Amino acid sequence: MTLADRPPAAALVFQTLLAQGPLTRAEVGRRTGLSAGAVTKVATPLLEDGWITELGRPLGERPTGRPATLVAVRPERACFAGVKVTGDELIGVLADLTAQPLATRRADLGSRDVGTVVQAVARLVAELCREAGSTAHGPVHSIGVTLAGDVDGHTGTVQYSPFLDWRGVPLARLVEAATGTPTVIENDVRALTVTEQWFGAGAGLSSFALVTVGAGIGAGLSVGGRVVSGAHGVAGEIGHLPVGGGDRVCTCGNTGCVEAVASTHAITEQARQAAGDPELGIADAVRLAHGGHPAVRAVFSGAGRALGLALASVANLIGPERIIISGEGVASYDLFADQIRQTFAAQAFGAAADCDIVVRPLPFEEWARGGAAVAAQRLFAPAP
């Protein structure tokens, strides 16, 4: 019997141990609201099938009375491949059941053609398995592929990815056919949010948001312990909130979006105009801004205002305990940090302004790890 075939209580116990373990059975009961009998009932077959294991007594426990044994997930029970797809590169991770990396690898994309990308994913997964060698825990159980855009993980379809120029691509089915391995796909930011929920800055929080700044502006929302995916696979698209940005056109075709002002591409275009240099790159824009160039600094300030408005909207809508800011754009965060915080403080309503804001740089390998985490999640929380 697979984890997905077990009763909901088993999935709840397993997920609690995955994110918060090792724990005693009594502590599992307290954290899940299940009775001691219910915990024992679902834990016993999980132990027998090797999904969880007993570790012994908690440190510091007195050796009197009935012993309380710690229970934990067995990381070696299964392994998963996670692949993040960008416009020009694949980043892959082979990970165990707790999403700890066993091997990592990158591969350049010579083309964004769907068939070419699918074959490149298949080769990368095979290379990851060879690299992991004896450290891999048997064959890959499943693959999680993540990418930016409108991704419907329920159907396994990329509805629209602007950076790849894909529309209506049944990516999960194509990768599964090419690899012979069950495959799930997910929006890359939501997948990263899963890893932050289980193992990162969102662990133990009832609600948090992960906002990513870079080639695009996205957000993953965790509410009540669940990452929100939306009825149609669209949720957390704060990059397309209208915040006013003149006549700048966004990748979605609209004007006034956060992404049209604060993405890396948008900042670069505006900095080129401000500096009168059509060859200016983002690194040059950062250098000029740090050097005190007033017009270029104003570009970063405008991006900070747009991001501050977006963060305040998230705080006002869902009231998260924490907002985590990540993505490649945080490398220049100091240039718009003050404007973000000022705008957020001015626009967040009431107690929403008390939301903890944390800046957390995460390499693309962590995003690929999110794919592995999503694949592992489907073991016990299958898509409806």
Side-chain angles (χ1 to χ4, degrees):
M1 180 183 291
T2 67
L3 282 171
D5 296 326
R6 298 183 188 277
L12 180 58
V13 167
F14 186 81
Q15 185 173 8
T16 300
L17 287 171
L18 185 65
Q20 303 171 36
L23 300 169
T24 65
R25 288 174 174 79
E27 187 59 31
V28 170
R30 282 191 288 271
R31 299 192 187 195
T32 60
L34 296 173
S35 68
V39 171
T40 298
K41 182 178 180 180
V42 299
T44 298
L46 292 175
L47 281 163
E48 292 173 348
D49 288 350
W51 291 106
I52 62 177
T53 186
E54 293 181 333
L55 300 180
R57 293 183 176 184
L59 290 174
E61 183 189 66
R62 295 180 180 179
T64 60
R66 186 175 181 178
T69 304
L70 287 171
V71 182
V73 168
R74 286 185 66 231
E76 65 273 20
R77 181 62 171 80
C79 67
F80 307 84
V83 179
K84 173 174 168 55
V85 184
T86 73
D88 53 15
E89 184 181 31
L90 300 179
I91 302 92
V93 170
L94 189 70
D96 64 21
L97 186 51
T98 61
Q100 292 303 308
L102 304 171
T104 61
R105 184 177 285 268
R106 293 190 175 209
D108 292 333
L109 281 179
S111 167
R112 297 176 185 177
D113 170 73
V114 173
T116 301
V117 173
V118 168
Q119 290 304 314
V121 169
R123 285 194 302 272
L124 181 60
V125 171
E127 290 167 1
L128 285 167
C129 292
R130 285 194 293 270
E131 181 178 326
S134 60
T135 62
H137 310 307
V140 176
H141 183 281
S142 54
I143 301 168
V145 181
T146 75
L147 64 158
D150 180 355
V151 178
D152 189 341
H154 297 166
T155 64
T157 303
V158 179
Q159 304 287 20
Y160 175 52
S161 180
F163 304 111
L164 294 166
D165 195 25
W166 289 359
R167 293 181 184 273
V169 175
L171 186 61
R173 178 174 60 79
L174 293 173
V175 172
E176 187 164 331
T179 61
T181 303
T183 300
V184 298
I185 66 169
E186 183 57 277
N187 171 272
D188 56 355
V189 179
R190 285 201 296 270
L192 183 61
T193 305
V194 172
T195 61
E196 287 297 282
Q197 178 190 47
W198 286 359
F199 314 112
L205 301 181
S206 63
S207 64
F208 73 94
L210 170 71
V211 175
T212 57
V213 182
I217 310 293
L221 309 175
S222 176
V223 180
R226 297 183 65 88
V227 176
V228 178
S229 60
H232 306 288
V234 178
E237 292 292 343
I238 69 167
H240 302 291
L241 288 175
V243 295
D247 57 358
R248 291 192 53 77
V249 179
C250 181
T251 55
C252 69
N254 293 321
T255 58
C257 296
V258 175
E259 201 165 290
V261 181
S263 70
T264 302
H265 179 69
I267 290 173
T268 302
E269 283 194 336
Q270 293 169 93
R272 286 172 178 169
Q273 185 175 4
D277 181 357
E279 301 300 321
L280 199 73
I282 186 63
D284 301 314
V286 170
R287 177 179 51 79
L288 287 176
H290 279 144
H293 192 295
V296 176
R297 287 190 69 87
V299 169
F300 282 93
S301 180
R305 179 181 180 278
L307 289 168
L309 289 171
L311 297 186
S313 296
V314 171
N316 291 342
L317 283 170
I318 69 171
E321 295 179 59
R322 176 174 294 162
I323 295 177
I324 305 161
I325 304 176
S326 192
E328 63 269 31
V330 302
S332 54
Y333 183 76
D334 61 301
L335 290 170
F336 38 64
D338 289 345
Q339 190 61 59
I340 287 177
R341 293 187 180 275
Q342 289 171 17
T343 305
F344 177 82
Q347 297 295 322
F349 178 75
D354 297 331
C355 175
D356 182 31
I357 297 179
V358 175
V359 179
R360 184 165 155 79
L362 294 168
F364 272 157
E365 281 72 14
E366 284 296 302
W367 294 62
R369 185 183 176 214
V374 168
Q377 185 184 50
R378 295 290 172 88
L379 272 175
F380 56 88

